Amino acid sequence: AMMSRTLTRVISMMITVTLVTALAFAGPDRAPRGVCVAFAGPDRRTRGAGVRMAASAADLHGVQAACLEKVQAAFTLTERDFPNSLECAAWSSGPSSGAVRGFAAEPKLGWISSSITNSGRGVCASELTAFVAPAFDIPHLYQVVGLTPEGKISLTLDYIARYDLPADQNYLQDYFLSTTEWQEKLRTSVAGVAESAVRQDVYMRTIRSPMQLCLELENTADSLAALKAACESNVDRWIGWWQTAKEVNRMKVGSIFMRDTKIHRMRFQSHAGLLKASGVPAELAERVAQAIVGPGDEQYVGLGDGA
């Protein structure tokens, strides 16, 4: 019996590594749907006494893949080999695994990242971020969907500010206070939606905006549909801002660049710290974190002059 259980675990891990590799190199329109990519065995979508969960890790990553398609339709994205150069396009360590893809769309977008991280026991997080080049001051796009240890669906939506908000009331109104009505409609649109305690570490709490939306939803088909609509609406709003976007005064590019660099470092520390805390070896955790947040200062070379 012990040998049988061991063989089952080995086969499960082999299947998972294959699926994660496929996820890393498939285009957004080929993202696998309805396939679980966590190290958890065949009953991964069942919790408790026969309660079947509506969403798997791949379902949630599929939501992000659809959002990435929207970004690709609005910009000319070029996929970068950066995650693969760090050997993190697909990775695994013990019960943890993941995949990372990265893009650029110069001169407007410095780094677009799509990643999924599975921490074992059915816990996962799928993140989509689009970091804007410092020649433009539109907020960075940030959204994460996942499954919590309790089996609920988690949703975090944010637009990361490029300025000190108390110092620029117009910027605060245009990009943050304007989201209040939309957020309130989302909170009340689905039964069972509850605002969660923020699970983020100190680094991500430092860079979040005051209008960050952080919810936990019961894992039902209705919740999955609501999450999909919220994520797509979040991306649509962000893309809409680009219709009137103009390059900022050259005097501001330097200060925006400095702020972005600090945000970049905090995101790296956040990802690396969370991966290490889940048991991923430090060296691998830092490579994965670097793959997700992008090449840093290199992404901005030449962007200030519209190259």
Side-chain angles (χ1 to χ4, degrees):
M2 182 178 296
M3 291 180 64
S4 176
R5 288 195 298 270
T6 301
L7 180 59
T8 299
R9 286 196 295 269
V10 170
I11 292 173
S12 177
M13 291 175 66
M14 291 173 65
I15 293 172
T16 300
V17 170
T18 301
L19 289 172
V20 169
T21 303
L23 177 62
F25 291 100
D29 58 334
R30 297 171 57 199
R33 308 294 179 109
V35 181
C36 177
V37 295
F39 288 116
D43 61 347
R44 142 78 186 81
R45 294 182 67 173
T46 302
R47 289 179 182 273
V51 178
R52 186 169 177 81
M53 297 169 63
S56 70
D59 293 328
L60 297 176
H61 195 61
V63 171
Q64 297 285 50
C67 290
L68 177 59
E69 287 181 351
K70 286 178 171 288
V71 177
Q72 286 184 308
F75 302 89
T76 302
L77 300 188
T78 301
E79 185 153 11
R80 301 299 194 192
D81 195 48
F82 186 65
N84 194 48
S85 71
L86 295 171
E87 300 181 348
C88 294
W91 62 272
S92 65
S93 176
S96 300
S97 63
V100 187
R101 300 179 71 197
F103 307 82
E106 301 176 0
K108 293 181 178 180
L109 302 179
W111 187 250
I112 304 95
S113 173
S114 175
S115 66
I116 186 166
T117 302
N118 302 286
S119 303
R121 301 178 302 281
V123 179
C124 71
S126 178
E127 178 179 298
L128 175 65
T129 58
F131 267 56
V132 180
F136 298 86
D137 62 5
I138 288 176
H140 302 305
L141 174 69
Y142 177 84
Q143 58 186 46
V144 183
V145 299
L147 294 173
T148 72
E150 298 77 26
K152 293 185 177 182
I153 297 175
S154 62
L155 168 65
T156 301
L157 303 178
D158 204 3
Y159 303 121
I160 299 176
R162 316 295 297 286
Y163 299 120
D164 179 35
L165 293 179
D168 194 326
Q169 293 294 309
N170 290 332
Y171 191 84
L172 175 65
Q173 176 61 46
D174 291 344
Y175 294 120
F176 298 99
L177 297 181
S178 62
T179 68
T180 303
E181 182 178 353
W182 172 79
Q183 290 180 346
E184 202 55 41
K185 286 181 179 179
L186 176 64
R187 287 193 182 99
T188 58
S189 63
V190 178
V193 172
E195 190 158 4
S196 71
V198 177
R199 297 173 182 260
Q200 295 171 325
D201 61 277
V202 65
Y203 296 111
M204 291 307 298
R205 293 200 301 270
T206 299
I207 68 176
R208 72 186 185 190
S209 84
M211 304 306 296
Q212 181 189 78
L213 185 66
C214 188
L215 300 176
E216 285 185 356
L217 301 84
E218 295 299 329
N219 196 339
T220 66
D222 286 346
S223 293
L224 181 60
L227 176 140
K228 183 177 186 295
C231 288
E232 293 185 356
S233 177
N234 192 57
V235 173
D236 287 340
R237 179 186 292 271
W238 179 79
I239 291 174
W241 288 332
W242 284 98
Q243 302 304 313
T244 56
K246 296 180 180 179
E247 292 194 33
V248 301
N249 185 301
R250 288 178 178 271
M251 297 294 291
K252 293 183 178 181
V253 172
S255 62
I256 293 175
F257 169 75
M258 291 178 62
R259 182 183 180 91
D260 284 351
T261 298
K262 293 175 182 177
I263 290 173
H264 175 93
R265 291 170 182 166
M266 286 187 173
R267 289 188 64 229
F268 170 82
Q269 291 172 306
S270 173
H271 278 290
L274 292 174
L275 287 166
K276 292 174 187 177
S278 70
V280 177
E283 189 273 338
L284 175 58
E286 291 180 1
R287 282 193 284 116
V288 173
Q290 189 65 65
I292 293 173
V293 303
D297 297 355
E298 297 174 11
Q299 67 184 290
Y300 296 127
V301 174
L303 297 188
D305 56 10

